[in-house]
Amino acid sequence: LMTGPIIQEIGTLVNLRIRLDLSSNGFSGFLPANLGDLTLLRGLYVNNNVGLIGQVPSTFSKLSKLETIHLEFTGLTGAIPTEVCALFDTLRPIAYADCDDHTNGATCFQYCCAAECACRYDSTDLRCFA
């Protein structure tokens, strides 16, 4: 179990191609903006780190190869940046976020997770936030 902030140096792993899985640890603080520099990344998992706070960095819009992103069950709040959603409109990755924390600004996420850990899927729009 890793705890504390996610170190900035993680953004220097620019040749990481498959996935970065930081899920189910004890991370706290903000998501490093330089995670957006991992432009070859196909999967990003930071879910189940309730100590993570703040918003999703707009630099995530540079993750042009992203196929899966998990942000659920964290302390992240606020609207998902427009730039990130614009990228997701094109890529349509499998994307998860908390319903309660992002309902006013995560229209690009197909799955939203409620407190009981049940993710729901809106088959009419491929999105769960209308």
Side-chain angles (χ1 to χ4, degrees), residues 17-36:
R17 294 176 184 269
I18 304 299
R19 74 182 198 176
L20 177 60
D21 191 342
L22 303 173
S23 65
S24 301
N25 282 288
F27 287 118
S28 58
F30 298 95
L31 285 175
N34 66 357
L35 284 175

Side-chain angles (χ1 to χ4, degrees), residues 1 8 10-11 26 31 50-52 58 62 72 76 81 86 88 90 98 105 112 117 129:
L1 184 70
Q8 292 289 324
I10 204 152
L31 285 175
V50 296
L52 289 176
S58 61
K62 297 189 292 184
E72 75 274 20
L76 298 173
F88 287 179
T90 303
D98 292 331
C112 65
C117 196
F129 300 103

